[in-house]
Amino acid sequence: QVQLVESGGGLVQAGGSLRLSCAASGRTFSNYAMGWFRQAPGKEREFVGRINWTGTIKYYADFVKGRFTISRDNPKNTASLQMTDLKPEDTGVYYCAARTGAGESSDRTSYSYWGQGTQVTVSS
């Protein structure tokens, strides 16, 4: 299995930027597609974006398109989520997750491995 650790969260003003990182250890990182999810207080965890194992296919939730960018560096066993033009509604705990298997998925139940999450707070 793979272990995931997120970092880079924090407090930022609206319109600001943050870069989240996800460090992987354990099994071969390039075997896994990666996803980013977030969970606001009192809400269900929701899909933010995903990237396939080669980094060639990316997909984003509509509410982050044009603002967030996912990338990965397989030799360094890391995935990243660059967030710009942050809004107060982006506040929440952000999680990276890994999955194996064919095809692409934005369904959180298809991701087997999760990090502990990192808090992002956007003030207005």
Side-chain angles (χ1 to χ4, degrees):
Q1 61 181 27
V2 63
Q3 292 79 42
L4 305 173
V5 178
E6 302 94 337
S7 62
L11 174 63
V12 63
Q13 289 188 331
S17 300
L18 280 175
R19 185 178 182 87
L20 306 184
S21 294
C22 176
S25 60
R27 302 292 288 271
T28 305
F29 180 63
S30 59
N31 288 347
Y32 298 87
M34 300 297 296
W36 286 93
F37 295 79
R38 70 185 186 187
Q39 188 165 18
K43 294 187 177 181
E44 290 196 352
R45 194 169 300 186
E46 64 180 353
F47 169 78
V48 173
R50 55 176 164 81
I51 186 168
N52 71 333
W53 64 280
T54 60
T56 55
I57 300 174
K58 306 175 187 180
Y59 183 77
Y60 301 93
D62 286 344
F63 55 77
V64 302
K65 284 182 180 177
R67 299 190 298 125
F68 291 10
T69 303
I70 293 176
S71 60
R72 67 187 296 160
D73 186 334
N74 285 344
K76 294 184 178 179
N77 292 342
T78 59
S80 298
L81 179 65
Q82 177 68 48
M83 305 185 294
T84 63
D85 189 23
L86 283 161
K87 307 176 186 299
E89 52 265 41
D90 293 319
T91 294
V93 179
Y94 282 69
Y95 300 87
C96 67
R99 65 181 295 271
T100 58
E104 311 297 327
S105 177
S106 304
D107 182 352
R108 66 178 188 267
T109 63
S110 70
Y111 289 78
S112 301
Y113 306 102
W114 293 81
Q116 83 290 348
T118 186
Q119 177 70 45
V120 171
T121 303
V122 184
S123 63
S124 57

